[in-house]
Amino acid sequence: MPSKTFYIETFGCQMNAHDSEKVTGTLLSQGYAQVETPEAADLVLYNTCSIRDKAEQKVFNRLQNFKRDAGKGKIFGVLGCVAQQEGEKIFERAPHVSLVAGSASYTRLGEMLVQLEAGNRRVTGLSLDTEDTFDTPFTRRDNPHRAYITIIEGCDKSCAYCVVPFTRGPERSRTSESVMAEARGLAETGYTEIQLLGQNVNSYRDPSPAAWDFAQLLARVAEIPGIRRVRYTTSHPRDFTRSIVDAMDANPAVCDHVHLPVQSGSTRVLAAMDRQYTRDEYMRRIEWLKNAKRHYSLTTDIIVGFPGETAEDFEQTLELLDQVQYDSLFSFKYSPRPNTAALRMEDVVPEEEKQRRLVVLQEKQRAIQIRRNAELVGGILEVLVEGRNQALGQWIGRTSCNRTLNFTHPGTNGTGLLGKYLPVRVTRSGPNSLVGESATVV
Ligand code: 5AD
Ligand code: SF4
């Protein structure tokens, strides 16, 4: 029998990237070989994102390109958030698709593959009432130094703009024992950085009798011999406790960076978004971090143009940027999503106004970043070497505070430094990255 091949393309967040690593590992374990183009594959999978409309459209554009291949033996599958959101409607919209499965059904992947191989052309995995998390021994990791570990799946919050509770289902935490076993195994095979993942990592709660909370889990993972860096994403301010800051302070392996999405600087808008915190409550968490024993880089997510956001509300968001001085931020124009509460809200902000606010916000943040990065010039930061820019003769490093630091290191080229931790002196800065030279005495 000729070997079966698959191609997978991934959209969206790190959870999706990691899901694709697990799906890939599972397929490899079932005798499939991975290929680099959809043309070369028997099975073409798109692991999709539906956080904003633009992300959702991408998969339909991809599928459209392959419409003519329908019936030529190629099998198409839509996985992830668009699959869960649109369900069987995808079969109508793109009749050459044979598999539609959301992330809560990946534990049944093997079974779904058997059905596809048997010729079933409408295979679905759309149930959200699973108690399971998708743990598999077959994960095929993309990065040789940094590994993702899912600690909690799903989300129990109900932010008015957000599709995630509908696409990823209710929260399910893994046992601390299985997380620790995976982390130890990764350390033993040479991984030095671990990124703990969850839509809301802070609400992690060990379902076993040990009953660890997130702060306890973070501290224990950071103590594993061989693990030099631990990151985590994403935090919800409501569940971000003082004990997390204490665990970070006490464990040097936890990176100097916290991503704490605020979404808006206006308490009124936060209430309309059902974020469950006020601006003051958010600022209290920022103060914990600013007064902590170590210096932490702070980053955030902001949505502009949520229904009912006035010019005054937006001003408050700008003023929050001045107050917090984030090291980086992701900003988005509000995009209406199916099933969400905000869909029914009035006072929609016109597209041009959303765009204007986005530009104003990004310009303000750019000025802040130029200033903050310039403060680092002259200092020494430790990087994990993640890549090489041959054309520039530079290595690409990442700092604990999650900045990219491109640097030169005399007498090295090829892949020699990849995966190493090195001190680098910062010599120049820009709005989005730093440049430096190795501070190792050669
Ligand atoms: N429109 C725009 N941005 C959104 N986000 C989530 N839902 C929407 C939406 N409907 C943003 C939030 C979140 C980030 C991952 O995406 O800022 O933190
Ligand atoms: Fe996109 Fe959210 Fe799904 Fe991640 S969880 S893929 S960001 S919709």
Side-chain angles (χ1 to χ4, degrees):
M1 184 181 138
S3 74
K4 306 163 283 185
T5 56
F6 76 98
Y7 167 84
I8 186 164
E9 181 176 1
T10 308
F11 304 92
C13 62
Q14 285 132 319
M15 294 286 285
N16 250 23
H18 187 38
D19 281 344
S20 285
E21 293 181 333
K22 297 188 220 177
V23 169
T24 296
T26 306
L27 285 162
L28 293 172
S29 77
Q30 306 265 325
Y32 281 77
Q34 189 169 15
V35 291
E36 295 304 314
T37 62
E39 288 77 11
D42 302 318
L43 173 63
V44 177
L45 297 174
Y46 295 109
N47 191 5
T48 61
C49 172
S50 63
I51 196 91
R52 285 168 290 275
D53 187 55
K54 236 186 183 163
E56 177 177 341
Q57 291 319 316
K58 282 188 191 155
V59 63
F60 291 107
N61 295 340
R62 290 289 193 284
L63 287 169
Q64 190 67 26
N65 295 340
F66 285 101
K67 226 174 179 165
R68 61 184 184 284
D69 288 347
K72 289 193 196 155
K74 213 186 263 304
I75 295 175
F76 290 88
V78 178
L79 305 178
C81 293
V82 177
Q84 191 67 51
Q85 179 191 295
E86 296 298 301
E88 301 196 2
K89 278 186 269 174
I90 293 176
F91 293 130
E92 314 305 324
R93 207 165 151 183
H96 51 309
V97 169
S98 306
L99 169 69
V100 175
S103 64
S105 304
Y106 296 162
T107 39
R108 289 183 39 233
L109 200 61
E111 192 188 306
M112 293 189 278
L113 287 172
V114 170
Q115 289 183 39
L116 286 173
E117 287 167 12
N120 188 341
R121 288 293 161 262
R122 290 223 163 170
V123 179
T124 54
L126 294 169
S127 166
L128 275 181
D129 52 14
T130 173
E131 292 284 295
D132 287 343
T133 51
F134 180 36
D135 306 339
T136 161
F138 299 120
T139 308
R140 170 58 65 98
R141 296 180 192 275
D142 291 335
N143 184 304
H145 313 294
R146 181 191 341 115
Y148 295 130
I149 299 184
T150 311
I151 62 167
I152 174 169
E153 290 180 10
C155 182
D156 283 351
K157 293 282 185 292
S158 46
C159 302
Y161 51 79
C162 190
V163 79
V164 172
F166 305 98
T167 65
R168 286 186 170 270
E171 288 177 0
R172 291 96 67 200
S173 291
R174 280 172 69 187
T175 64
S176 56
E177 200 187 334
S178 86
V179 172
M180 290 301 289
E182 187 172 358
R184 283 195 204 98
L186 288 165
E188 279 158 19
T189 48
Y191 286 92
T192 56
E193 178 173 325
I194 282 179
Q195 188 156 348
L196 303 175
L197 294 182
Q199 238 63 49
N200 179 1
V201 276
N202 307 156
S203 69
Y204 173 81
R205 177 56 74 163
D206 182 1
S208 71
W212 291 359
D213 63 12
F214 176 67
Q216 288 169 299
L217 182 73
L218 183 65
R220 300 286 156 74
V221 171
E223 284 166 2
I224 294 174
I227 296 303
R228 297 189 53 163
R229 287 186 173 179
V230 183
R231 302 183 188 278
Y232 58 91
T233 199
T234 281
S235 294
H236 190 293
R238 168 74 191 240
D239 301 317
F240 190 85
T241 56
R242 176 81 236 197
S243 60
I244 298 174
V245 183
D246 294 339
M248 294 181 77
D249 276 347
N251 290 280
V254 182
C255 287
D256 307 333
H257 170 219
V258 177
H259 183 64
L260 202 57
V262 66
Q263 313 300 355
S264 168
S266 154
T267 292
R268 212 182 60 77
V269 172
L270 290 171
M273 289 176 165
D274 199 8
R275 287 290 287 176
Q276 304 180 14
Y277 54 86
T278 62
R279 177 186 172 126
D280 285 350
E281 284 163 346
Y282 179 85
M283 281 310 299
R284 206 169 309 145
R285 276 125 184 105
I286 296 292
E287 290 311 319
W288 292 342
L289 288 160
K290 292 208 183 227
N291 297 327
K293 295 207 181 96
R294 280 200 272 152
H295 174 81
Y296 295 107
S297 271
L298 299 172
T299 60
T300 200
D301 293 343
I302 287 179
I303 297 175
V304 298
F306 186 76
E309 184 190 69
T310 62
E312 160 65 12
D313 292 317
F314 177 62
E315 278 304 314
Q316 291 183 23
T317 298
L318 294 177
E319 200 260 335
L320 183 87
L321 262 52
D322 280 328
Q323 203 178 343
V324 178
Q325 297 282 307
Y326 291 108
D327 295 275
S328 175
L329 67 75
F330 297 101
S331 49
F332 312 100
K333 286 185 279 187
Y334 166 70
S335 167
R337 306 310 296 134
N339 307 315
T340 58
L343 262 191
R344 296 184 299 275
M345 292 182 184
E346 290 170 3
D347 298 326
V348 168
V349 178
E351 184 58 29
E352 313 76 69
E353 180 58 14
K354 280 191 214 168
Q355 182 61 30
R356 192 193 68 80
R357 290 181 192 175
L358 189 71
V359 170
V360 171
L361 184 88
Q362 290 179 344
E363 276 173 5
K364 178 167 210 64
Q365 180 59 23
R366 189 180 150 86
I368 292 173
Q369 280 176 218
I370 289 174
R371 226 174 23 247
R372 289 193 74 78
N373 285 342
E375 284 165 12
L376 298 171
V377 174
I380 292 180
L381 294 173
E382 186 185 61
V383 299
L384 164 59
V385 186
E386 293 189 336
R388 167 95 185 152
N389 184 332
Q390 204 59 39
L392 291 178
Q394 284 177 336
W395 295 96
I396 303 164
R398 181 160 300 277
T399 66
S400 171
C401 61
N402 208 33
R403 283 179 172 85
T404 302
L405 172 45
N406 300 315
F407 67 101
T408 51
H409 185 99
T412 55
N413 54 35
T415 56
L417 294 184
L418 294 181
K420 296 211 162 33
Y421 288 82
L422 295 176
V424 174
R425 185 181 312 281
V426 183
T427 53
R428 278 188 290 133
S429 65
N432 296 311
S433 65
L434 304 169
V435 178
E437 54 198 27
S438 169
T440 307
V441 185
V442 230

